[in-house]
Structure formats: C-alpha cells, structure tokens
Amino acid sequence: MTLCASDDRFADDVHYMGGGLLTENEMWSSYMLALNATPPDPQIVGERWREMWLARLENDTCWSETWLAHQCRDAYWRQGSVAENYADIEIPVYAIGGWDDSYSNAVPRLLAGLTGPRKGLIGPWSHQFPCRGEPGPTIGYLQEILRWWDQWLKGAETGIMAEPMLRAWVLDPHRPAPFYPTHPGRWVTEESWPSPKIEPRRLYLNDHRLETEPMIGAVLSIRSPADAGRDCGRWGGYGGDCPDMALDQRREDGLALVFETAVLTEDLDLLGAPVLEIAACADAPRVNLTARLCDVAPDGTSTLITWGALNLACRDGLDAPRDLVPGDRFTARLQLNDIGRRVARGSRLRLSLATQHWPVLWPQPWLASLCLASGESTLSLPIRPARPEDADIPAFLPAEIAPPLAVTTERDGTNYRRVTQDVGSQVQAVELYSDYGRHRIGETGIVTDSWCRDIMTIHPEDPLSARLDSEWYLGSISGPADVEIRSRVILTGDAEALTLSWRVEASERGTVIHERSNTRKFPRMSL
C-alpha cells in the first residue's frame, strides 16, 4: 500500500515541478536539517543517547545542497522512481491519496502503468491518513487496509478485488477558502484506468474564449509580474487550519492571459488530468509557464480547480532542457494535476496562463513575454458523464483510530499566512508561520515544542530580488535530554547562479553545544 507517495522523484515530488524549482524544496530541507539534529530518546537507547547525538550532529547537513546539484531528471532522481519501469513491480498495489495533497497524481499514473493486481483510492484529504484527514469526510481507512492485507497476505477472500479499480471523491462546487474542514461531494468508481468512459473534450484557445471550434485571429501575449501567483496557495496542503489553499483567483487572473467558456448550461464533472497544448513564442530563453483552471461563479468569484507548471526549456523532456530561441515558434504540452470536481450549471470555466508563480516556483532571471496565436492551442478536459450506478456505491465504514495518548497542552499552537507590501519599495512579503504549541505526553513525560516560519520576498518588477528565508525550532525534553534545535535555510540568486546558505544550531539545557553552516553557489542550468 502506498499513501501520499510519488512514483517520480523529480517530476512530482517536493523538489521540482515541470522542471521548475519549488520553494518547498528548501522549506522541506530546513525542516529535515532541524529534525536530523534531534537526539535519540534516552528512554529507548539509554545512557549512550548523548554520544549518539553528538555523532549525529557532526553528520547533519542541508539536503538542498544535493537537490540543487541535480536540476534535471538525471540518474540521481531516476533511482528510486518506480515510474522508470512499472513492469518491475509484480506485487499487488493499493495506491491512495487525496486531492488537497500534492501526491495524488501518482495514483492514476500507477493504475495506468502497473500490470498486476492494483487498486486506487483518491479522497478529499490533504497530506494525512484518510482516517484522520482534513478536509473530510474521513473513512474507515484501517478497516480498508486490513481487507487488502487479509486478501493478499492471508489468502482470505475479502471481496476487495471484485470492486472497481478506482474509487474517487468528486468535489462539489465550493467557494475559495484558505483551509477546509470538509469537502462536500460524492464517491464515484471506475472499473479500469484510464477509463474508456471518460470523454475528452477539446477546447480551442481563441480570442480570450474557450470554444469547440478554432477561430484563427489575433496574437495574444502575457508578461506576468514577478509576484504573480501570490493567491494560489501552497504547493501542497497539510490540513487542519493551516491556510495553505488558494484564495479567490481574480487577482491572479488579472495578471494572466485568460480564456473562458460560455456559461455552462448543465453540470459538468471532471475526473482526470486536463491537458494544455500550446503553439507559442517567447522573448526569453527560459519561461516558467503556469496554467490554472478555475470555476467562475455567476458573481465573478474564481475558485481554483487545478493547475500545472512547465519550465518551457523542458518542453522536450525533463531530462533534456533546451533553451528557447527568442522569437521562434515552439510547441509544448502541459498536463495539469489530476482532479475530481463538479462545475455547476451557470458557472464558467476559466483557463489562466501566467509566466510567474511566486512563491511556489522560483522565478527565472527575467520577466518574459509569451505570445500565442488565437485558435492554435488547445485544452483537453476529462469529462465524466453522469451514471445512475453512482448512487449505489457502498459507503466506507466509519473512521476508527486507537485512543490518543493523554497530552497536556502548555502552549496552544497557531497558524497564519500573512501578505504585506511596502508601498515605498514595492517589495512584497509572504510569511507562513506555524506554531505547533508546547505539549507534555502524560505516559512518557516527554515535552515537545516547535514552530516554523517561512518568509518569501520579491519585487514585482525584479525576479532576481526573490529571497526565501526558512526557519525551524524544535525543542524537546525526555529525561536527561533537554535540547533545542534551530535551523535556517536562505535561498537567493542572480542571473547566473543560485546561492544557498544554511545553518543548524543545537543547545543542551540552554547552552549552545554545536553549530554548523555553509554557503554554496549552484550555476543555473535551466532554472
């Protein structure tokens, strides 16, 4: 069983997306820099905990040093990516994910690529277990995995393989919000994947319209400012009250090249991955193209359905970046993230193309312009026709989990996402802050205390002003181990290179006992 996992470590993980650098790369590295500096628990390893800890500290380093040294899909990323050869996997596989997580794309890819017994489940959840996941509804995940393991490890006939290959939650229309306690919707099933019952609908990018017939006409262009993307949420959602999700997209749509359908005369269900195919030209050798598909309500509210990104230097493949020739025509294919979503009658579908996606993607060194000729590019939508049998899908059992440990909260946690702009300098800052609180576990007496802060700043007219500053604090007390860990990772860049600076500090009973840091430059190969 694979849950919240990736089958392709370069194309669809925390590091890069479509050949563009994710800022989540360095934020995750900052967390691991701190986490890897924490000591083993004396209650488990005994008196040698401190000796083990000191050895661990001497070997702790920032993983982004390795990740930035591999800026295309080379052997480093191919190792461990099961997408390299699905035929190598012979065992039965149950792939599970959630639409609000960043790893749900692996589920349909595994179903399509594997040849042995396989099943897929995609719910509404973020990066969490489906029995605890938010947004809800939760399901009896533990009961479901026991059915799978009893079938394949004990030889018991549980009936799980007689059920459809894919079960997915189709979200009902909803308004944008920074987080969701629940996602109303319904379960649907597909006997196989790709499903022959999904009907691709091709729409042409005409003069700001999405239409079923091409209309060759004016050349359209877009040059997004460096801060475009601010309201698009985080690369992935972590659930709870973390404000990770996309807000109303009207600001972002105004900074993009927009194409719209007519008002829908009937409900439309999407299940799968929309695909954009463009014929275009650009005035720079590298451009990060972002495509967003939005549900535009009658009152104008624009809700993000799904999105995708492509470094156009990687249009021929993520392992072979090749700069554009400014002014020359090129073609490219961009597959957006898979989604299950209903769009209501009376709404419109809006496709927005932008050349920046800050702070999710690190910007290219310049503000590039992209030009498209009307009627020559297309968007293919995965339409799922309504089926009467959907009403008969059996419900999952209710969620069950073990009773939680008794915990005393000594400081409550809090989360916020704050956007500010200095009207004098025009520099914009996006701050993500999560205080996880201070808690004492009753059974063991262990005290945990942690918080993190990520600050991304940029000037709208200067992509080289981009800066990421990521900090983590981890404190814990377990018997004689009374420690605090602090990490900090900073990423900046110029036209030729990215500069990574990091530092980790460990304290014991309030006294710093270890410090380690480094600064290193990485030539920009296609970023």
Side-chain angles (χ1 to χ4, degrees), residues 193-221:
W193 194 265
S195 172
K197 297 179 180 179
I198 301 295
E199 301 175 356
R201 181 176 300 178
R202 176 177 292 180
L203 300 175
Y204 289 87
L205 279 60
N206 292 332
D207 190 358
H208 298 288
R209 299 186 302 274
L210 289 173
E211 298 174 309
T212 56
E213 297 295 331
M215 295 290 291
I216 306 300
V219 174
L220 308 173
S221 65

PDB file of all heavy atoms in Angstrom, residues 193-221:
ATOM      1  N   TRP A 193      -8.518   2.017 -15.308  1.00  0.00           N
ATOM      2  CA  TRP A 193      -7.934   3.342 -15.515  1.00  0.00           C
ATOM      3  C   TRP A 193      -6.704   3.217 -16.392  1.00  0.00           C
ATOM      4  O   TRP A 193      -5.855   2.362 -16.116  1.00  0.00           O
ATOM      5  CB  TRP A 193      -7.569   3.998 -14.171  1.00  0.00           C
ATOM      6  CG  TRP A 193      -7.302   5.460 -14.359  1.00  0.00           C
ATOM      7  CD1 TRP A 193      -6.080   6.045 -14.554  1.00  0.00           C
ATOM      8  CD2 TRP A 193      -8.276   6.492 -14.414  1.00  0.00           C
ATOM      9  NE1 TRP A 193      -6.226   7.385 -14.722  1.00  0.00           N
ATOM     10  CE2 TRP A 193      -7.582   7.697 -14.646  1.00  0.00           C
ATOM     11  CE3 TRP A 193      -9.660   6.542 -14.309  1.00  0.00           C
ATOM     12  CZ2 TRP A 193      -8.217   8.914 -14.764  1.00  0.00           C
ATOM     13  CZ3 TRP A 193     -10.300   7.753 -14.418  1.00  0.00           C
ATOM     14  CH2 TRP A 193      -9.589   8.925 -14.639  1.00  0.00           C
ATOM     15  N   PRO A 194      -6.606   4.030 -17.435  1.00  0.00           N
ATOM     16  CA  PRO A 194      -7.549   5.081 -17.840  1.00  0.00           C
ATOM     17  C   PRO A 194      -8.927   4.499 -18.179  1.00  0.00           C
ATOM     18  O   PRO A 194      -9.008   3.404 -18.734  1.00  0.00           O
ATOM     19  CB  PRO A 194      -6.896   5.699 -19.075  1.00  0.00           C
ATOM     20  CG  PRO A 194      -5.463   5.291 -19.003  1.00  0.00           C
ATOM     21  CD  PRO A 194      -5.438   3.969 -18.332  1.00  0.00           C
ATOM     22  N   SER A 195      -9.947   5.249 -17.865  1.00  0.00           N
ATOM     23  CA  SER A 195     -11.298   4.761 -18.059  1.00  0.00           C
ATOM     24  C   SER A 195     -11.776   5.072 -19.479  1.00  0.00           C
ATOM     25  O   SER A 195     -11.713   6.226 -19.919  1.00  0.00           O
ATOM     26  CB  SER A 195     -12.253   5.409 -17.058  1.00  0.00           C
ATOM     27  OG  SER A 195     -13.592   5.081 -17.371  1.00  0.00           O
ATOM     28  N   PRO A 196     -12.285   4.067 -20.186  1.00  0.00           N
ATOM     29  CA  PRO A 196     -12.844   4.341 -21.518  1.00  0.00           C
ATOM     30  C   PRO A 196     -14.126   5.163 -21.459  1.00  0.00           C
ATOM     31  O   PRO A 196     -14.599   5.641 -22.494  1.00  0.00           O
ATOM     32  CB  PRO A 196     -13.112   2.935 -22.072  1.00  0.00           C
ATOM     33  CG  PRO A 196     -13.275   2.067 -20.863  1.00  0.00           C
ATOM     34  CD  PRO A 196     -12.358   2.633 -19.822  1.00  0.00           C
ATOM     35  N   LYS A 197     -14.664   5.345 -20.255  1.00  0.00           N
ATOM     36  CA  LYS A 197     -15.899   6.102 -20.105  1.00  0.00           C
ATOM     37  C   LYS A 197     -15.659   7.598 -19.894  1.00  0.00           C
ATOM     38  O   LYS A 197     -16.604   8.381 -19.870  1.00  0.00           O
ATOM     39  CB  LYS A 197     -16.720   5.528 -18.948  1.00  0.00           C
ATOM     40  CG  LYS A 197     -17.152   4.086 -19.184  1.00  0.00           C
ATOM     41  CD  LYS A 197     -17.936   3.534 -18.007  1.00  0.00           C
ATOM     42  CE  LYS A 197     -18.357   2.090 -18.257  1.00  0.00           C
ATOM     43  NZ  LYS A 197     -19.105   1.528 -17.107  1.00  0.00           N
ATOM     44  N   ILE A 198     -14.397   7.987 -19.702  1.00  0.00           N
ATOM     45  CA  ILE A 198     -14.060   9.410 -19.605  1.00  0.00           C
ATOM     46  C   ILE A 198     -13.980   9.963 -21.022  1.00  0.00           C
ATOM     47  O   ILE A 198     -13.262   9.432 -21.870  1.00  0.00           O
ATOM     48  CB  ILE A 198     -12.737   9.629 -18.860  1.00  0.00           C
ATOM     49  CG1 ILE A 198     -12.812   9.054 -17.444  1.00  0.00           C
ATOM     50  CG2 ILE A 198     -12.392  11.110 -18.819  1.00  0.00           C
ATOM     51  CD1 ILE A 198     -13.801   9.733 -16.542  1.00  0.00           C
ATOM     52  N   GLU A 199     -14.704  11.039 -21.272  1.00  0.00           N
ATOM     53  CA  GLU A 199     -14.784  11.613 -22.608  1.00  0.00           C
ATOM     54  C   GLU A 199     -13.921  12.877 -22.696  1.00  0.00           C
ATOM     55  O   GLU A 199     -14.250  13.880 -22.076  1.00  0.00           O
ATOM     56  CB  GLU A 199     -16.238  11.944 -22.953  1.00  0.00           C
ATOM     57  CG  GLU A 199     -17.167  10.737 -22.911  1.00  0.00           C
ATOM     58  CD  GLU A 199     -18.612  11.121 -23.145  1.00  0.00           C
ATOM     59  OE1 GLU A 199     -18.895  12.340 -23.259  1.00  0.00           O
ATOM     60  OE2 GLU A 199     -19.469  10.208 -23.197  1.00  0.00           O
ATOM     61  N   PRO A 200     -12.817  12.841 -23.442  1.00  0.00           N
ATOM     62  CA  PRO A 200     -12.014  14.064 -23.599  1.00  0.00           C
ATOM     63  C   PRO A 200     -12.758  15.098 -24.434  1.00  0.00           C
ATOM     64  O   PRO A 200     -13.315  14.761 -25.486  1.00  0.00           O
ATOM     65  CB  PRO A 200     -10.746  13.576 -24.305  1.00  0.00           C
ATOM     66  CG  PRO A 200     -11.145  12.316 -24.985  1.00  0.00           C
ATOM     67  CD  PRO A 200     -12.229  11.691 -24.157  1.00  0.00           C
ATOM     68  N   ARG A 201     -12.792  16.308 -23.942  1.00  0.00           N
ATOM     69  CA  ARG A 201     -13.442  17.398 -24.671  1.00  0.00           C
ATOM     70  C   ARG A 201     -12.393  18.447 -25.016  1.00  0.00           C
ATOM     71  O   ARG A 201     -11.812  19.072 -24.135  1.00  0.00           O
ATOM     72  CB  ARG A 201     -14.555  18.020 -23.845  1.00  0.00           C
ATOM     73  CG  ARG A 201     -15.293  19.163 -24.562  1.00  0.00           C
ATOM     74  CD  ARG A 201     -16.459  19.670 -23.734  1.00  0.00           C
ATOM     75  NE  ARG A 201     -17.438  18.609 -23.489  1.00  0.00           N
ATOM     76  CZ  ARG A 201     -18.537  18.784 -22.754  1.00  0.00           C
ATOM     77  NH1 ARG A 201     -18.779  19.970 -22.194  1.00  0.00           N
ATOM     78  NH2 ARG A 201     -19.383  17.781 -22.562  1.00  0.00           N
ATOM     79  N   ARG A 202     -12.151  18.641 -26.306  1.00  0.00           N
ATOM     80  CA  ARG A 202     -11.124  19.588 -26.748  1.00  0.00           C
ATOM     81  C   ARG A 202     -11.736  20.970 -26.943  1.00  0.00           C
ATOM     82  O   ARG A 202     -12.733  21.135 -27.625  1.00  0.00           O
ATOM     83  CB  ARG A 202     -10.482  19.112 -28.051  1.00  0.00           C
ATOM     84  CG  ARG A 202      -9.470  20.099 -28.615  1.00  0.00           C
ATOM     85  CD  ARG A 202      -8.791  19.575 -29.848  1.00  0.00           C
ATOM     86  NE  ARG A 202      -7.917  18.453 -29.523  1.00  0.00           N
ATOM     87  CZ  ARG A 202      -7.196  17.801 -30.439  1.00  0.00           C
ATOM     88  NH1 ARG A 202      -7.274  18.138 -31.709  1.00  0.00           N
ATOM     89  NH2 ARG A 202      -6.423  16.803 -30.081  1.00  0.00           N
ATOM     90  N   LEU A 203     -11.084  21.943 -26.320  1.00  0.00           N
ATOM     91  CA  LEU A 203     -11.484  23.343 -26.471  1.00  0.00           C
ATOM     92  C   LEU A 203     -10.304  24.122 -27.043  1.00  0.00           C
ATOM     93  O   LEU A 203      -9.146  23.888 -26.653  1.00  0.00           O
ATOM     94  CB  LEU A 203     -11.894  23.933 -25.125  1.00  0.00           C
ATOM     95  CG  LEU A 203     -13.078  23.255 -24.414  1.00  0.00           C
ATOM     96  CD1 LEU A 203     -13.289  23.874 -23.050  1.00  0.00           C
ATOM     97  CD2 LEU A 203     -14.339  23.344 -25.253  1.00  0.00           C
ATOM     98  N   TYR A 204     -10.591  25.052 -27.932  1.00  0.00           N
ATOM     99  CA  TYR A 204      -9.541  25.858 -28.555  1.00  0.00           C
ATOM    100  C   TYR A 204      -9.392  27.183 -27.813  1.00  0.00           C
ATOM    101  O   TYR A 204     -10.382  27.783 -27.366  1.00  0.00           O
ATOM    102  CB  TYR A 204      -9.877  26.112 -30.021  1.00  0.00           C
ATOM    103  CG  TYR A 204      -9.735  24.879 -30.867  1.00  0.00           C
ATOM    104  CD1 TYR A 204     -10.799  23.978 -30.993  1.00  0.00           C
ATOM    105  CD2 TYR A 204      -8.548  24.589 -31.522  1.00  0.00           C
ATOM    106  CE1 TYR A 204     -10.676  22.831 -31.764  1.00  0.00           C
ATOM    107  CE2 TYR A 204      -8.413  23.443 -32.298  1.00  0.00           C
ATOM    108  CZ  TYR A 204      -9.477  22.568 -32.410  1.00  0.00           C
ATOM    109  OH  TYR A 204      -9.345  21.431 -33.166  1.00  0.00           O
ATOM    110  N   LEU A 205      -8.134  27.609 -27.683  1.00  0.00           N
ATOM    111  CA  LEU A 205      -7.843  28.902 -27.063  1.00  0.00           C
ATOM    112  C   LEU A 205      -7.987  29.970 -28.136  1.00  0.00           C
ATOM    113  O   LEU A 205      -7.026  30.328 -28.818  1.00  0.00           O
ATOM    114  CB  LEU A 205      -6.434  28.901 -26.467  1.00  0.00           C
ATOM    115  CG  LEU A 205      -6.242  28.259 -25.087  1.00  0.00           C
ATOM    116  CD1 LEU A 205      -6.639  26.788 -25.086  1.00  0.00           C
ATOM    117  CD2 LEU A 205      -4.795  28.417 -24.623  1.00  0.00           C
ATOM    118  N   ASN A 206      -9.212  30.465 -28.279  1.00  0.00           N
ATOM    119  CA  ASN A 206      -9.485  31.514 -29.247  1.00  0.00           C
ATOM    120  C   ASN A 206      -9.231  32.875 -28.601  1.00  0.00           C
ATOM    121  O   ASN A 206      -8.476  32.968 -27.629  1.00  0.00           O
ATOM    122  CB  ASN A 206     -10.908  31.372 -29.782  1.00  0.00           C
ATOM    123  CG  ASN A 206     -11.062  30.120 -30.645  1.00  0.00           C
ATOM    124  OD1 ASN A 206     -10.100  29.653 -31.256  1.00  0.00           O
ATOM    125  ND2 ASN A 206     -12.267  29.570 -30.687  1.00  0.00           N
ATOM    126  N   ASP A 207      -9.811  33.916 -29.128  1.00  0.00           N
ATOM    127  CA  ASP A 207      -9.572  35.272 -28.632  1.00  0.00           C
ATOM    128  C   ASP A 207     -10.211  35.436 -27.253  1.00  0.00           C
ATOM    129  O   ASP A 207     -11.347  35.894 -27.127  1.00  0.00           O
ATOM    130  CB  ASP A 207     -10.135  36.295 -29.620  1.00  0.00           C
ATOM    131  CG  ASP A 207      -9.703  37.717 -29.285  1.00  0.00           C
ATOM    132  OD1 ASP A 207      -8.993  37.904 -28.274  1.00  0.00           O
ATOM    133  OD2 ASP A 207     -10.084  38.630 -30.029  1.00  0.00           O
ATOM    134  N   HIS A 208      -9.471  35.012 -26.192  1.00  0.00           N
ATOM    135  CA  HIS A 208      -9.907  35.061 -24.800  1.00  0.00           C
ATOM    136  C   HIS A 208     -11.106  34.161 -24.527  1.00  0.00           C
ATOM    137  O   HIS A 208     -11.762  34.291 -23.494  1.00  0.00           O
ATOM    138  CB  HIS A 208     -10.221  36.501 -24.366  1.00  0.00           C
ATOM    139  CG  HIS A 208      -9.035  37.411 -24.439  1.00  0.00           C
ATOM    140  ND1 HIS A 208      -7.986  37.334 -23.555  1.00  0.00           N
ATOM    141  CD2 HIS A 208      -8.716  38.402 -25.321  1.00  0.00           C
ATOM    142  CE1 HIS A 208      -7.077  38.243 -23.862  1.00  0.00           C
ATOM    143  NE2 HIS A 208      -7.487  38.901 -24.937  1.00  0.00           N
ATOM    144  N   ARG A 209     -11.393  33.222 -25.431  1.00  0.00           N
ATOM    145  CA  ARG A 209     -12.517  32.311 -25.252  1.00  0.00           C
ATOM    146  C   ARG A 209     -12.043  30.870 -25.398  1.00  0.00           C
ATOM    147  O   ARG A 209     -11.093  30.582 -26.133  1.00  0.00           O
ATOM    148  CB  ARG A 209     -13.615  32.603 -26.277  1.00  0.00           C
ATOM    149  CG  ARG A 209     -14.202  33.997 -26.178  1.00  0.00           C
ATOM    150  CD  ARG A 209     -15.394  34.184 -27.120  1.00  0.00           C
ATOM    151  NE  ARG A 209     -15.046  33.932 -28.518  1.00  0.00           N
ATOM    152  CZ  ARG A 209     -14.530  34.837 -29.335  1.00  0.00           C
ATOM    153  NH1 ARG A 209     -14.275  36.068 -28.901  1.00  0.00           N
ATOM    154  NH2 ARG A 209     -14.242  34.539 -30.606  1.00  0.00           N
ATOM    155  N   LEU A 210     -12.725  29.963 -24.690  1.00  0.00           N
ATOM    156  CA  LEU A 210     -12.539  28.523 -24.854  1.00  0.00           C
ATOM    157  C   LEU A 210     -13.735  28.001 -25.631  1.00  0.00           C
ATOM    158  O   LEU A 210     -14.871  28.027 -25.137  1.00  0.00           O
ATOM    159  CB  LEU A 210     -12.447  27.823 -23.489  1.00  0.00           C
ATOM    160  CG  LEU A 210     -11.183  28.058 -22.667  1.00  0.00           C
ATOM    161  CD1 LEU A 210     -11.325  27.427 -21.287  1.00  0.00           C
ATOM    162  CD2 LEU A 210      -9.949  27.485 -23.371  1.00  0.00           C
ATOM    163  N   GLU A 211     -13.470  27.498 -26.847  1.00  0.00           N
ATOM    164  CA  GLU A 211     -14.572  27.109 -27.735  1.00  0.00           C
ATOM    165  C   GLU A 211     -14.250  25.806 -28.438  1.00  0.00           C
ATOM    166  O   GLU A 211     -13.077  25.419 -28.562  1.00  0.00           O
ATOM    167  CB  GLU A 211     -14.836  28.220 -28.758  1.00  0.00           C
ATOM    168  CG  GLU A 211     -15.277  29.532 -28.097  1.00  0.00           C
ATOM    169  CD  GLU A 211     -15.398  30.679 -29.072  1.00  0.00           C
ATOM    170  OE1 GLU A 211     -14.435  30.911 -29.830  1.00  0.00           O
ATOM    171  OE2 GLU A 211     -16.457  31.337 -29.074  1.00  0.00           O
ATOM    172  N   THR A 212     -15.289  25.128 -28.911  1.00  0.00           N
ATOM    173  CA  THR A 212     -15.116  23.812 -29.521  1.00  0.00           C
ATOM    174  C   THR A 212     -14.571  23.869 -30.944  1.00  0.00           C
ATOM    175  O   THR A 212     -14.123  22.858 -31.475  1.00  0.00           O
ATOM    176  CB  THR A 212     -16.458  23.045 -29.525  1.00  0.00           C
ATOM    177  OG1 THR A 212     -17.445  23.838 -30.194  1.00  0.00           O
ATOM    178  CG2 THR A 212     -16.909  22.765 -28.096  1.00  0.00           C
ATOM    179  N   GLU A 213     -14.602  25.033 -31.580  1.00  0.00           N
ATOM    180  CA  GLU A 213     -14.058  25.196 -32.925  1.00  0.00           C
ATOM    181  C   GLU A 213     -12.982  26.279 -32.919  1.00  0.00           C
ATOM    182  O   GLU A 213     -13.124  27.291 -32.223  1.00  0.00           O
ATOM    183  CB  GLU A 213     -15.161  25.578 -33.913  1.00  0.00           C
ATOM    184  CG  GLU A 213     -16.237  24.521 -34.080  1.00  0.00           C
ATOM    185  CD  GLU A 213     -15.714  23.241 -34.690  1.00  0.00           C
ATOM    186  OE1 GLU A 213     -14.723  23.316 -35.471  1.00  0.00           O
ATOM    187  OE2 GLU A 213     -16.275  22.163 -34.403  1.00  0.00           O
ATOM    188  N   PRO A 214     -11.899  26.088 -33.690  1.00  0.00           N
ATOM    189  CA  PRO A 214     -10.828  27.095 -33.696  1.00  0.00           C
ATOM    190  C   PRO A 214     -11.246  28.342 -34.473  1.00  0.00           C
ATOM    191  O   PRO A 214     -11.962  28.268 -35.469  1.00  0.00           O
ATOM    192  CB  PRO A 214      -9.670  26.384 -34.396  1.00  0.00           C
ATOM    193  CG  PRO A 214     -10.340  25.377 -35.276  1.00  0.00           C
ATOM    194  CD  PRO A 214     -11.573  24.924 -34.560  1.00  0.00           C
ATOM    195  N   MET A 215     -10.798  29.475 -33.963  1.00  0.00           N
ATOM    196  CA  MET A 215     -11.008  30.756 -34.633  1.00  0.00           C
ATOM    197  C   MET A 215      -9.653  31.448 -34.712  1.00  0.00           C
ATOM    198  O   MET A 215      -9.188  32.044 -33.738  1.00  0.00           O
ATOM    199  CB  MET A 215     -12.011  31.617 -33.863  1.00  0.00           C
ATOM    200  CG  MET A 215     -13.418  31.042 -33.820  1.00  0.00           C
ATOM    201  SD  MET A 215     -14.250  31.093 -35.421  1.00  0.00           S
ATOM    202  CE  MET A 215     -14.486  32.862 -35.598  1.00  0.00           C
ATOM    203  N   ILE A 216      -8.991  31.307 -35.856  1.00  0.00           N
ATOM    204  CA  ILE A 216      -7.676  31.911 -36.024  1.00  0.00           C
ATOM    205  C   ILE A 216      -7.839  33.430 -36.031  1.00  0.00           C
ATOM    206  O   ILE A 216      -8.693  33.981 -36.738  1.00  0.00           O
ATOM    207  CB  ILE A 216      -7.019  31.445 -37.328  1.00  0.00           C
ATOM    208  CG1 ILE A 216      -6.993  29.904 -37.364  1.00  0.00           C
ATOM    209  CG2 ILE A 216      -5.616  32.011 -37.469  1.00  0.00           C
ATOM    210  CD1 ILE A 216      -6.221  29.277 -36.242  1.00  0.00           C
ATOM    211  N   GLY A 217      -7.016  34.088 -35.213  1.00  0.00           N
ATOM    212  CA  GLY A 217      -7.183  35.527 -35.118  1.00  0.00           C
ATOM    213  C   GLY A 217      -5.972  36.198 -34.526  1.00  0.00           C
ATOM    214  O   GLY A 217      -4.829  35.866 -34.871  1.00  0.00           O
ATOM    215  N   ALA A 218      -6.215  37.110 -33.626  1.00  0.00           N
ATOM    216  CA  ALA A 218      -5.171  37.977 -33.088  1.00  0.00           C
ATOM    217  C   ALA A 218      -4.122  37.187 -32.310  1.00  0.00           C
ATOM    218  O   ALA A 218      -4.386  36.118 -31.754  1.00  0.00           O
ATOM    219  CB  ALA A 218      -5.806  39.029 -32.187  1.00  0.00           C
ATOM    220  N   VAL A 219      -2.903  37.726 -32.267  1.00  0.00           N
ATOM    221  CA  VAL A 219      -1.848  37.191 -31.417  1.00  0.00           C
ATOM    222  C   VAL A 219      -2.015  37.784 -30.027  1.00  0.00           C
ATOM    223  O   VAL A 219      -2.094  39.006 -29.861  1.00  0.00           O
ATOM    224  CB  VAL A 219      -0.457  37.513 -31.985  1.00  0.00           C
ATOM    225  CG1 VAL A 219       0.629  37.080 -31.011  1.00  0.00           C
ATOM    226  CG2 VAL A 219      -0.268  36.839 -33.339  1.00  0.00           C
ATOM    227  N   LEU A 220      -2.078  36.913 -29.015  1.00  0.00           N
ATOM    228  CA  LEU A 220      -2.278  37.335 -27.631  1.00  0.00           C
ATOM    229  C   LEU A 220      -0.980  37.174 -26.856  1.00  0.00           C
ATOM    230  O   LEU A 220      -0.205  36.244 -27.113  1.00  0.00           O
ATOM    231  CB  LEU A 220      -3.381  36.493 -26.982  1.00  0.00           C
ATOM    232  CG  LEU A 220      -4.707  36.430 -27.756  1.00  0.00           C
ATOM    233  CD1 LEU A 220      -5.654  35.434 -27.111  1.00  0.00           C
ATOM    234  CD2 LEU A 220      -5.340  37.816 -27.824  1.00  0.00           C
ATOM    235  N   SER A 221      -0.728  38.048 -25.904  1.00  0.00           N
ATOM    236  CA  SER A 221       0.536  37.983 -25.170  1.00  0.00           C
ATOM    237  C   SER A 221       0.303  38.202 -23.682  1.00  0.00           C
ATOM    238  O   SER A 221      -0.711  38.769 -23.266  1.00  0.00           O
ATOM    239  CB  SER A 221       1.528  39.020 -25.698  1.00  0.00           C
ATOM    240  OG  SER A 221       1.059  40.328 -25.463  1.00  0.00           O
TER     241      SER A 221
END
